[in-house]
Each structure stands twice: as structure tokens, then as C-alpha cells.
Amino acid sequence: MAQLVSTIALSHAPGLTGWLDKAPKEEQDSLVNGFSELGRILRDTRPDVIIGVANDHVLNLEFQNTPDFCVGTSDKWEGPAEWFKDWVAVPHYEVAGNKQVADTLVNAAGREGIRFAFRDKLLFDDNWSVPLYYLTPDYDIPLVPIHMNCVVPPLPQPEYCYRVGQTIAKIVRDELPDDMRVAFMATGGLSHDPGGPKYFDVDEKFDRWFLGLLEEGDPEKVLREATIDKMVAAGDGGTSELLAWLVTMGAVGDRPAKTVCYEPAVELRCGMGCVYWDMS
Amino acid sequence: MAQLVSTIALSHAPGLTGWLDKAPKEEQDSLVNGFSELGRILRDTRPDVIIGVANDHVLNLEFQNTPDFCVGTSDKWEGPAEWFKDWVAVPHYEVAGNKQVADTLVNAAGREGIRFAFRDKLLFDDNWSVPLYYLTPDYDIPLVPIHMNCVVPPLPQPEYCYRVGQTIAKIVRDELPDDMRVAFMATGGLSHDPGGPKYFDVDEKFDRWFLGLLEEGDPEKVLREATIDKMVAAGDGGTSELLAWLVTMGAVGDRPAKTVCYEPAVELRCGMGCVYWDMS
Amino acid sequence: MGIMNTNRTLPSNLMVFELRRDLTLFQRFRQNIEPIMEMYGLSEEEKQAFRDENIKKLSELGVHPYFLPQISRIFHGSAYNHNNSEAAQVYARNMVDGADQEG
Amino acid sequence: MGIMNTNRTLPSNLMVFELRRDLTLFQRFRQNIEPIMEMYGLSEEEKQAFRDENIKKLSELGVHPYFLPQISRIFHGSAYNHNNSEAAQVYARNMVDGADQEG
Ligand SMILES: [Fe+3]
Ligand SMILES: [Fe+3]
């Protein structure tokens, strides 16, 4: 049995790399320090692979056939995708994948009644490019990316996302190679509204409420209270990316989250923060 | 509001057209007469369009991204697909589609929390070729084909299939053009096992039990008793095509089905039959 | 509007989806939007909204919200996309100010 | 075996899926299965099972059940596919008799 050594969740919005200098100095410092600290926490657990889950910004998952979740089965990834290069503004990078882990996730989840789509080509935008830049600047930990649908109706429900996380944790435990050390990472959120009237706003109140809720470590309460409706109300176009955070919560159960940093970064057009769960 | 004028369900296995002469004469007569009678029942209701739902025999819906349901949005269809021509052994045919109805189904279902994939190219095998040959030999009623996943795990559950049928009936009622007359057709089943050890068997007992259950007109009982496990036990590879029949049942609610014909057609490697619900 | 009102079968949505994935297509679109809009079968209403860079109208037609700021970036560039950048300001004039006027 | 044990990521499943959709590919496969199996990245175990027309082995590897009689038709033809046809009989010898021997 493999071991889940690290579970984290963090924002990925492109302002963090693309125009960070436009934010107030103290916000910049708080976010850079916080994300760097999260990187140390992650790397200190010496993961052999990161299973990541993040919103697909309608870049890979077609309207014609949007799956809830799509697992990347390649042994090699790169980013950012061409059209997003100057927007995200991080250098081109390559990072290994892990086809064996990805294939196992697909087939084992299917046996549990969870359908994962899969493919060996995925374009990366800010969803992985921004987190990896801060967390693993050497791009030396293989990534199994899971792109999920957070923004094309109908969305996967919070309960289902939680169950998916539980299932991934079970597969890690029961099906991945012995002694493999696995990190689980969600990226996305917090409040933002790309494509809506609140594009230039951040809902700090919602964000602090949501982080506080995760800190309580009560999944039932989270699932009862952190509804899609509430996410959409806090920023229609993007806040529901927090569904990815609920996936990771399914893997940690009733452990309380610990918030590393949070800033209502209006100049970056996104509530930005990161958390981890102590898996020791 | 449009009107649901006709709801039917029938087998589609290729023995009905490909090697019917190998069945005993009385089975041939019973099935040909029964399917022809069902065609009259259908055509007598003068439908402007048939919304059809049937198993995709892993011909269009890829393993990489299997949707539960995929709506065909073309205005023009043809069949059988090349590789299936000599197997199904019906002449090449063309039949109109209805893109407007198809698009409406996709977007309206999305608002109800039901995700329909869609595409304007679908290969037809026996799923439509056999039913249309018997029901509408002039191919003169437009078809909106909905290919569903009955055979790639995880399968859509019976309750969900029923809800999909309810949703389609609601969309017909609330969203399709006034005075449009709509027929709803499921094809597939009954017991058969392509790819399994019961390939040359038919489970007559299961088939008669299932038909009797539909004749009771008690959807709750059907959903409680007609489980995927029971279908799989009656023929692993194909019997779960009856999930398509549960979709149509969602549209008719507690009306009792009327069986037109049934034969345990061992030489055709499929329990064959057809039913209709009186929608008047 | 909003994500829940996305018209998934709208030709504009397929066009924008593919524009960001295919740089050759994107560059052809930048040179002349007309043949690309024709190729994807956009309605006259959709076409006119693109010609006018009428992002609000595209929103009303059911273009996915996520695509709306991207459309402003298709026309005005993505680099250094801060709130005072041209792309963000075009979006603001279309969607935020427009929304205020109606609200 | 059975549908619930399908290995969705198995290269054989993608290959058979596409063979029935693309007649040119199908004809190339009929002439020489080796380069096509190579193209789809089949394991040696999968390749040998195709060389031997070992349908039971393919089933055990997680080929979708629906494909198994189709594989016998790929090699032996689809027309007039009654129970005594060559395709059906090849299937029977592999799967039904084999199952009986084990059962
Ligand atoms: Fe995002
Ligand atoms: Fe079938």
C-alpha cells in the first residue's frame, strides 16, 4: 500500500505570476511567502508523485462531451500552453507524469462507480503553471493531473466531489505500489468572477468564511454549507473551482485544514490563499 | 407545448435482419408480425420526430471519455456504418434528424442537472438500423438519436435513467415547438450476452419477468427490482441495454406497458420483443 | 447570464474553444475573423457581436463566461493583463459598466 | 471477466474501437496485424493473444466483452453471422467451450 503523505489546496489565478507587482507590497509578500512555505511543507514530505485536481478552464474538456473528471495519462507534461504563455508569464517547463498511477486511478475508480475520463494530451494554463512555479520550482516531482469540470453546467455536486476524493485516497492506499509516497493537491479559487460583473471584485467575507469552515475539520458541515449556489454567488465564473478543494477534503476526512496565507487580492482579481492538512 | 404521442421499446439485435431465417418459422412470424404491428402503432400516432435512446455498442462513445448519454445533433443520418453493413444486412438508408430538437434537449437538460454530450456525427449499427427497418420502412420520420452507455463501467443507474426520461418528457412538454408530435423510442435488450459465456443462451425467465414488471405500471417497483446486477446476471454483455427502456419508462410514469411480442430467440442470440405504452 | 446559462451548442463556443488551442487558427482569426466565423457556422447575430467586440451581447447569447475576458484578450493581447490593461478595460466597458447601467 | 472488468486504458481496446470505425485501418490490419498492434502500443501479451486469435486471453486482459465476438468477425467475416458461422464457432471454441472446461 502506498501512503498519502501530503494534502494541500491553493489558488492558481494568473495574477500571481502575470502582474503580481500591481498588488500592494504587503499582499505580494504575504502571498509569495505563503506559497513558498506551502512548497516547503509539500517537499518536506518527499512525495514520489503529486496527484493534482483542478478546474479545466474549458481549455481541454469540450462542451460536446464534458466529463466530471479527466485523468492525464502521459509520462511527460509541459506548460504553459502557447496561447497562455504571455498571460501566465512563467518560463516554459517540463514535468514528468506517471502513466501507471494514472491508469490505476482510471480503472480502479471505475470499479468504485466513479467515471474518470482520461487522455495523454492536456494543455496546461494557470491551473498547474502557477502552483508548480511556487511549489516545485525545480519541476522535479511527477504530476498526475486531473482536470475537472467546475464551470460548465451541470457541475459535479459537492457530495460527489467529496466521494471522488475518498475514492482516490482508497486507491492510493489499496492499489498504488507499496512504499509510494503520494501528495494530493487541489488548485483553484477562492472567490473570483472571470466573465461576470464581479470581474474586478473579490468576496473577502465568503473567502474567510470558507477557510474558517475547512479549519473546523467537519466534512459534513462543509458539504451542508459550502453549496455550489453559495460559490456562484461569491463570483459566478470561478469560485466554484473550490469544488476541487472538496475533492481533497474527501481524502483527509475530518482533519482540520490549516491556512497558510490569504489575501483578498483585488488587483489580481481573485481571493488568493493556500491551506494544508497535516497527514502525519 | 409539444406532445408525446407515442412511447415504445423494442429489441434491436442483428439476428432479426442478418440471419432471421435460422430461427424456427413460428418465431420468425411472431417477431416479424409483432415488429410490424409496433410500426403501425407508432405511425398511427403521426409523429413529427422520434427521439430514440439506445445503447452505443462502444462504436461512437470512446473509452477515454464515455458520457452517459450523447445526443445526435445532425439534420441528416445514414446507416448502417460500413463495417456493420454485411452483419446487419439491411439496405443503406438515410433518415432526417432534427438539430433544433437535439440542441434544445442538450441545453434544457443541462439546466435540469442532466448532462447530455452531443455530436453531429454518429455511426449507426444495429441499434437504429434494425428497428427502423421494421418500424418505418420508408425512413420518413426524422430521428433524434440518443446514444447511451449501457456497457462500459460505471453505468448510469436505473434511477438516473428514469430521471432522464422524466426530464426528456418535461422538455418535450415545455420547450419543444407547439403542436410538434413526438415519439419516444428505446431500443435494446432483452437478455443476451455478446462477449460472455452465455453468448448462445437466452434467459427466457428473466425476460418474461421483466416484461411482466413493465406491464404492472409501477415505476417504483421496477426501479427497486430491475437492478443492473439482475440484468448483468441475465447476460453480462448486453442485457443492461434495458436501461434504455427505463429511460422511456421515466417518460410514461405509471402507465402499464403492453407487450406486442416476445420470443426467446436462441438462434438470434437474444431475447426479442417489443412493447408500447398507450399515451392517449 | 453566468455559467449556468451557457449555450453549449452555440457555434461561438466551439470557435473560441478551438481558437485558444490552435495557434494557426488563432492567427488566421486575428487577420480576418470573417472566414473563421463562417467556417464555424455562427449566426448573423453572433458574427455582428464579434465584429463589434460586443462582449455583453455574446454573453447574452450564451457564450461561456470564461471566454468573455478571453475574447477581449484575443483582440487586445494577454500579456501583463492587470486591471488597467487594454484587454481588461475593454472587458470593463462592455460588462461591468454596461451591467451598472442596467442595474 | 465481463463488462465490469473492462480495462479502459488497455491499448487493445483503443485499437479495436478504431478498427471498426476506419475501414482503411481495418484493411491494413487484415493484411498485417503487426504494424497496427505496434502503432497502438500493445504489450507483447496482447500481441500474442491477437496472433493466436486467443479471445479468451484477450477477455482476461480486460478487452471489452462486446469486442470479443467482433474480433472473431474481424478475422472471419461478419456476414450471415448465425450460430454455425465460422466467426461464431471460433468464438464458441474460445469462450464457451473454454469456460465449460474451467467451470
Ligand atoms: Fe481558475
Ligand atoms: Fe445491442
Side-chain angles (χ1 to χ4, degrees):
Chain A
M1 59 180 265
Q3 195 187 345
L4 196 57
V5 295
S6 195
T7 305
I8 64 177
L10 70 161
S11 302
H12 65 215
L16 269 174
T17 49
W19 56 98
L20 181 63
D21 61 328
K22 291 289 182 177
K25 184 70 171 63
E26 62 275 16
E27 272 190 14
Q28 293 183 40
D29 291 346
S30 162
L31 292 172
V32 170
N33 292 339
F35 277 58
S36 302
E37 171 64 14
L38 188 70
R40 273 188 297 276
I41 291 169
L42 170 70
R43 296 193 307 273
D44 280 352
T45 63
R46 293 174 293 107
D48 298 308
V49 63
I50 300 172
I51 297 174
V53 57
N55 181 30
D56 183 79
H57 299 106
V58 207
L59 177 59
N60 296 281
L61 309 183
E62 308 88 341
F63 290 108
Q64 296 95 313
N65 191 12
T66 314
D68 290 324
F69 294 88
C70 180
V71 178
T73 52
S74 175
D75 275 323
K76 197 173 169 188
W77 300 103
E78 62 176 339
E82 276 300 326
W83 194 70
F84 294 85
K85 275 190 190 315
D86 59 355
W87 188 55
V88 173
V90 301
H92 178 86
Y93 60 92
E94 296 187 355
V95 60
N98 189 320
K99 179 172 167 52
Q100 190 201 349
V101 169
D103 284 355
T104 302
L105 284 172
V106 169
N107 286 300
R111 285 190 291 271
E112 302 286 333
I114 302 278
R115 183 186 300 142
F116 287 157
F118 62 95
R119 59 175 77 172
D120 59 8
K121 289 195 173 49
L122 285 168
L123 298 181
F124 287 6
D125 53 28
D126 49 320
N127 55 4
W128 308 117
S129 301
V130 173
L132 295 183
Y133 177 82
Y134 284 104
L135 299 181
T136 57
D138 295 331
Y139 300 98
D140 52 354
I141 307 178
L143 172 71
V144 175
I146 305 180
H147 284 222
M148 70 178 285
N149 170 34
C150 298
V151 290
V152 178
L155 311 187
Q157 294 297 306
E159 295 72 19
Y160 183 72
C161 294
Y162 186 81
R163 190 178 141 222
V164 168
Q166 289 178 306
T167 304
I168 290 173
K170 181 172 188 287
I171 295 168
V172 168
R173 212 166 45 231
D174 298 345
E175 313 245 6
L176 292 189
D178 277 356
D179 304 324
M180 182 178 265
R181 299 175 64 84
V182 179
F184 196 12
M185 167 175 82
T187 88
L190 290 81
S191 68
H192 61 310
D193 187 16
K198 296 188 193 169
Y199 189 48
F200 300 98
D201 286 345
V202 167
D203 192 333
E204 179 175 355
K205 196 172 153 216
F206 169 88
D207 290 344
R208 293 199 186 276
W209 167 80
F210 182 79
L211 291 170
L213 197 58
L214 294 191
E215 287 164 5
E216 291 182 43
D218 180 350
E220 279 182 33
K221 186 173 175 189
V222 175
L223 294 179
R224 202 168 54 240
E225 300 202 352
T227 61
I228 289 178
D229 282 350
K230 257 184 223 166
M231 294 178 191
V232 166
D236 177 287
T239 314
S240 52
E241 290 188 336
L242 291 172
L243 290 169
W245 294 39
L246 301 190
V247 177
T248 46
M249 199 184 62
V252 301
D254 57 8
R255 287 184 178 86
K258 300 186 184 186
T259 301
V260 180
C261 66
Y262 171 75
E263 296 296 335
V266 173
E267 284 77 6
L268 310 183
R269 298 195 292 274
C270 188
M272 298 276 200
C274 60
V275 307
Y276 72 101
W277 288 267
D278 187 345
M279 304 302 289
S280 60
Chain B
M1 60 181 263
Q3 197 187 344
L4 197 57
V5 295
S6 195
T7 305
I8 64 177
L10 69 162
S11 302
H12 65 214
L16 268 174
T17 50
W19 56 97
L20 181 64
D21 61 328
K22 291 289 182 177
K25 183 69 172 64
E26 63 275 14
E27 272 190 14
Q28 294 183 40
D29 291 347
S30 161
L31 291 172
V32 170
N33 292 340
F35 278 58
S36 302
E37 171 63 14
L38 188 71
R40 273 189 296 276
I41 291 169
L42 170 71
R43 296 193 307 273
D44 280 353
T45 62
R46 293 174 292 108
D48 299 307
V49 64
I50 299 173
I51 298 174
V53 56
N55 181 30
D56 184 79
H57 299 107
V58 207
L59 177 59
N60 296 281
L61 308 182
E62 308 90 343
F63 289 108
Q64 295 96 315
N65 191 12
T66 313
D68 289 325
F69 293 89
C70 181
V71 178
T73 53
S74 176
D75 276 323
K76 197 174 168 186
W77 300 103
E78 62 175 341
E82 275 301 327
W83 194 70
F84 294 86
K85 275 191 192 313
D86 58 355
W87 188 55
V88 173
V90 302
H92 178 86
Y93 60 92
E94 296 188 355
V95 61
N98 189 320
K99 178 171 168 53
Q100 191 200 348
V101 169
D103 283 356
T104 302
L105 285 172
V106 169
N107 286 301
R111 286 190 292 272
E112 303 285 333
I114 301 279
R115 183 185 300 142
F116 287 158
F118 62 95
R119 60 174 77 172
D120 60 8
K121 288 194 174 52
L122 285 168
L123 297 181
F124 287 6
D125 51 28
D126 48 320
N127 54 5
W128 308 117
S129 302
V130 173
L132 295 183
Y133 177 81
Y134 283 104
L135 299 181
T136 57
D138 296 332
Y139 300 98
D140 52 353
I141 308 179
L143 172 71
V144 175
I146 305 180
H147 284 221
M148 71 178 286
N149 170 33
C150 297
V151 290
V152 178
L155 311 187
Q157 294 297 306
E159 295 72 20
Y160 184 71
C161 294
Y162 186 82
R163 189 177 143 224
V164 167
Q166 289 179 307
T167 304
I168 290 173
K170 180 171 188 290
I171 295 169
V172 168
R173 212 167 43 231
D174 298 346
E175 313 246 6
L176 292 189
D178 278 356
D179 304 324
M180 182 178 265
R181 299 174 64 83
V182 179
F184 196 12
M185 168 176 81
T187 87
L190 290 82
S191 68
H192 61 309
D193 187 16
K198 297 188 190 168
Y199 189 47
F200 299 98
D201 286 344
V202 166
D203 192 332
E204 179 175 354
K205 196 172 153 215
F206 169 88
D207 290 343
R208 294 202 185 272
W209 166 80
F210 182 79
L211 291 169
L213 197 58
L214 294 191
E215 287 165 6
E216 291 183 42
D218 180 351
E220 279 181 34
K221 185 173 176 190
V222 175
L223 294 180
R224 202 168 54 239
E225 301 203 350
T227 61
I228 289 178
D229 282 351
K230 258 185 223 166
M231 293 179 192
V232 165
D236 177 287
T239 313
S240 53
E241 291 188 335
L242 291 172
L243 289 169
W245 294 40
L246 301 189
V247 177
T248 47
M249 200 185 61
V252 301
D254 57 9
R255 288 185 177 84
K258 301 186 184 186
T259 301
V260 180
C261 67
Y262 171 75
E263 296 296 336
V266 173
E267 283 78 5
L268 310 184
R269 297 195 293 272
C270 189
M272 299 275 199
C274 61
V275 308
Y276 73 101
W277 287 268
D278 187 346
M279 304 302 289
S280 61
Chain C
M1 301 309 100
I3 58 175
M4 295 305 173
N5 294 299
T6 305
N7 180 336
R8 290 165 60 216
T9 58
L10 190 77
S12 287
N13 275 324
L14 181 58
M15 183 181 78
V16 177
F17 181 86
E18 297 195 344
L19 277 177
R20 301 130 64 241
R21 295 178 51 84
D22 179 344
L23 273 203
T24 309
L25 184 71
F26 175 72
Q27 274 148 7
R28 284 169 54 204
F29 186 81
R30 285 296 306 268
Q31 287 184 353
N32 187 355
I33 67 175
E34 296 296 334
I36 310 297
M37 295 198 298
E38 191 63 32
M39 186 171 87
Y40 281 94
L42 270 63
S43 67
E44 187 52 37
E45 211 175 7
E46 293 171 84
K47 286 179 183 171
Q48 195 56 46
F50 271 100
R51 287 178 198 125
D52 300 341
E53 287 183 42
N54 189 340
I55 293 170
K56 192 171 171 58
K57 177 71 179 178
L58 290 171
S59 169
E60 288 162 5
L61 290 173
V63 169
H64 190 277
Y66 203 83
F67 288 173
L68 301 173
Q70 296 192 341
I71 289 168
S72 75
R73 281 157 48 203
I74 285 173
F75 288 114
H76 303 283
S78 282
Y80 205 35
N81 185 222
H82 57 77
N83 289 350
N84 294 321
S85 67
E86 196 182 344
Q89 283 299 307
V90 166
Y91 178 88
R93 283 195 295 275
N94 256 276
M95 288 295 287
V96 184
D97 302 347
D100 282 345
Q101 284 160 19
E102 293 197 356
Chain D
M1 302 309 101
I3 58 175
M4 296 305 174
N5 293 302
T6 304
N7 181 337
R8 291 166 58 217
T9 57
L10 190 77
S12 286
N13 275 323
L14 181 58
M15 183 181 79
V16 177
F17 182 85
E18 297 195 346
L19 277 177
R20 300 130 63 240
R21 295 178 51 84
D22 180 343
L23 273 204
T24 308
L25 184 71
F26 174 72
Q27 275 147 8
R28 284 170 54 204
F29 186 80
R30 284 297 306 268
Q31 287 185 353
N32 186 354
I33 68 175
E34 296 297 334
I36 309 297
M37 295 198 297
E38 191 62 32
M39 186 171 88
Y40 281 94
L42 270 61
S43 68
E44 185 52 37
E45 210 175 7
E46 293 171 85
K47 285 179 184 171
Q48 194 56 45
F50 271 100
R51 288 179 197 122
D52 299 342
E53 287 184 43
N54 188 341
I55 293 170
K56 191 170 172 58
K57 178 70 179 178
L58 290 171
S59 169
E60 288 163 4
L61 290 172
V63 168
H64 190 277
Y66 203 83
F67 288 173
L68 301 174
Q70 296 191 342
I71 290 168
S72 75
R73 281 157 47 203
I74 284 173
F75 288 115
H76 301 284
S78 282
Y80 204 37
N81 186 221
H82 57 78
N83 289 349
N84 294 322
S85 67
E86 196 182 343
Q89 284 299 309
V90 166
Y91 178 88
R93 282 194 295 274
N94 258 276
M95 289 295 288
V96 183
D97 302 347
D100 284 345
Q101 283 160 20
E102 292 197 356

